[in-house]
Amino acid sequence: MSTDTGDSTTIAGPQRRLAILLAMAMFVLVVDTSIMNVSISAVVHDIGTTVSGVQTAIALEALVSAAFILIGSKIGDLFGRKRAYLLGLCGYLVGALAMTVAQGLTIVVICWAVVGGLGAALLLPAMQSLIHGNFPGPVRKRVYALVGAAASIAAAVGPLVGGFITTYLSWRVAFGLEAVVILVVLSGAGLVKDAPYVGERSIDLFGAALSVVGMGGVVLGVLVWQEGGESVAALIVLGVGALLGLARWLVVRHRRARATLIDPDLFRSPLFRLGVTQQMLQQIALGGAMISLPIFLQMVLGYNAMLAGLSLAPLSLSMFAAALLAGKRAGRRRPATVVLTGFSLLVVGVGALLPIVPRATAGWWLAVPLVIAGSGLGLLVSQLNNYTLSPVSQERVSEAAGVNSATGSFGLSFGLALAGAVMLAAVVSGFTTQTQASDVLPPDDKAHVASVLKEDAQLMSDAQLQTLLADEPADVSAEIMRINTEVRPRALQIALLVPLLAGLAGVVGALRMRRQPDPTPNEAAESVLGG
């Protein structure tokens, strides 16, 4: 009898090269937004835009990915998973190259947010299918683990890598390096065998349109409100109406045995419904924290990208460590209990930031609360994917994972948009109120000062603002600095209510999870990307 048990799970030769290339693609997919988050002030300065403009681009990228990921999966089914994979990589390449030469916000929005977001919507589901089709059973699980590890490492070190390159080289170099990695991945296209699709080929075009309008209307409404535009309520009502219409449309189509964008029967399972909701709440909290904290660090404390990345490292590294530790101890605690603990830690961590922020003079003041919040998020990451997909049969796991990913990406884009909009609205409101109430500023100058603060103060650190005021009378300069110093930390406190409320809603959801029976572990769910 042979005692060799290692050959069937060894990744060798061309398969090893392909597995490494897929892991590189996933690393770029995850690290991309981290680079933008820690480079906000540098991007604002270099292309002559505003903080709200860059924040809008970040939210749009997540929104486009969310709105089109289910459609991207269907495109891969109909036109070839390899073709969708290559198109997705090319979308990311266009976005990365555009960022290396961008001179204004328009190219960032069009090429990085929209084209790059579409690339992500094509890339993730195609990678899922290609791993399944290019690697035999014993090896496949190791490849999924490798690619998943690349995503986790990218999330953990992304702020540090992005901060280091941006500070000591340039944010353009960071995106240029992304482009190089993508080109290396594309060079291995010949190693990829297509994974043919043999299922239903009909397309639910109306359902797809409703999903895009629904998610897009809600998030775009928030972004338009942030920019002071009109028709905010109309956009949000349109979005909510489209989402409700989608739910009705799917049920009617399913009853008539017609092709649907999503099988509504997935939502018959309480575990799936709860899991998807909790995934969305987790991503809202993460998005809210990851947009408001970098803005605070760079605009208020005047940190460069490296210092911002170091200050955010306790959040990302503790999230990675907690997810790894909880994953190894899976089965020792009820999943619902772990999720409840995760959301509770998130609430405690974010809540602890609220009294600290106005007093913080350095990023290390935030370290302990960020470790607590990051540990909570890590516990959630370790549980929610398998919990959500556990009631789903193996044949439908990929479809359910697509719904899970779309919901999570929508939550991320909503959290980014809402927290950023709330923060910037609080800044504008605070500047106006404090300026009008001031007894120091000359009455005739109040309107001008409020206008200048609204337009300029969000672009610069306290030190830069002090330089700008060098020619002003001492009492006026001191009063403007006082207003600026009070308003911006308070605005961050208000923005942090977004992840705090999402965390509290998650606690309520976790208590409902505890009333459900524990899910049966689903091995297929462990081999899902982006769930």
Side-chain angles (χ1 to χ4, degrees), residues 274 278 281 340 343 502-513 515:
L274 282 168
Q278 297 291 73
L281 291 170
L340 177 60
F343 274 116
L504 289 170
V507 169
V508 174
L511 293 174
R512 292 178 59 200
M513 291 170 67
R515 293 197 292 269

Side-chain angles (χ1 to χ4, degrees), residues 307-494:
L307 290 175
L310 284 171
S311 298
L312 292 173
L315 179 71
S316 57
L317 293 177
S318 61
M319 183 175 171
F320 173 68
L324 190 64
L325 182 62
K328 288 184 177 180
R329 295 174 174 269
R332 299 190 182 185
R333 296 285 187 276
R334 290 190 64 194
T337 300
V338 178
V339 171
L340 177 60
T341 304
F343 274 116
S344 298
L345 287 174
L346 173 63
V347 169
V348 170
V350 175
L353 286 172
L354 295 178
I356 291 175
V357 162
R359 300 168 176 81
T361 57
W364 63 264
W365 285 55
L366 313 180
V368 173
L370 290 182
V371 167
I372 296 171
S375 298
L377 287 168
L379 293 179
L380 299 177
V381 168
S382 75
Q383 301 296 316
L384 286 178
N385 183 47
N386 205 293
Y387 184 94
T388 304
L389 302 180
S390 61
V392 181
S393 63
Q394 185 166 353
E395 309 84 62
R396 301 173 67 194
V397 160
S398 292
E399 180 186 9
V403 176
N404 199 29
S405 291
T407 306
S409 295
F410 171 71
L412 181 65
S413 66
F414 184 75
L416 287 165
L418 185 59
V422 166
M423 185 175 187
L424 294 171
V427 166
V428 171
S429 175
F431 283 150
T432 301
T433 302
Q434 292 268 31
T435 301
Q436 294 301 321
S438 173
D439 295 328
V440 177
L441 298 176
D444 294 341
D445 291 344
K446 288 184 177 181
H448 175 67
V449 170
S451 176
V452 170
L453 282 172
K454 286 189 288 186
E455 294 299 324
D456 293 340
Q458 65 161 296
L459 305 179
M460 59 184 67
S461 67
D462 289 350
Q464 291 170 321
L465 182 60
Q466 183 74 64
T467 301
L468 182 68
L469 297 171
D471 296 332
E472 295 290 333
D475 58 339
V476 172
S477 176
E479 179 69 356
I480 293 175
M481 288 301 301
R482 180 194 66 79
I483 292 171
N484 183 63
T485 301
E486 288 185 9
V487 166
R488 294 204 292 192
R490 190 175 302 157
L492 174 63
Q493 286 179 303
I494 296 172

Side-chain angles (χ1 to χ4, degrees), residues 151-225:
S152 298
I153 292 170
V157 305
L160 294 172
V161 172
F164 180 85
I165 296 174
T166 297
T167 299
Y168 297 108
L169 296 171
S170 167
W171 58 274
R172 297 183 189 276
V173 172
F175 285 103
L177 291 174
E178 270 194 32
V180 171
V181 173
I182 296 168
L183 287 171
V184 171
V185 175
L186 284 169
S187 72
L191 299 172
V192 182
K193 297 182 299 182
D194 206 353
Y197 175 70
V198 295
E200 174 64 54
R201 303 189 71 84
S202 301
I203 306 175
D204 180 10
L205 291 175
F206 189 67
L210 286 174
S211 71
V212 172
V213 172
M215 287 187 270
V218 172
V219 175
L220 288 176
V222 175
L223 294 174
V224 169
W225 168 57

Side-chain angles (χ1 to χ4, degrees), residues 50-65:
T50 63
V51 173
S52 62
V54 176
Q55 182 260 329
T56 294
I58 295 172
L60 277 177
E61 198 268 349
L63 170 62
V64 172
S65 175

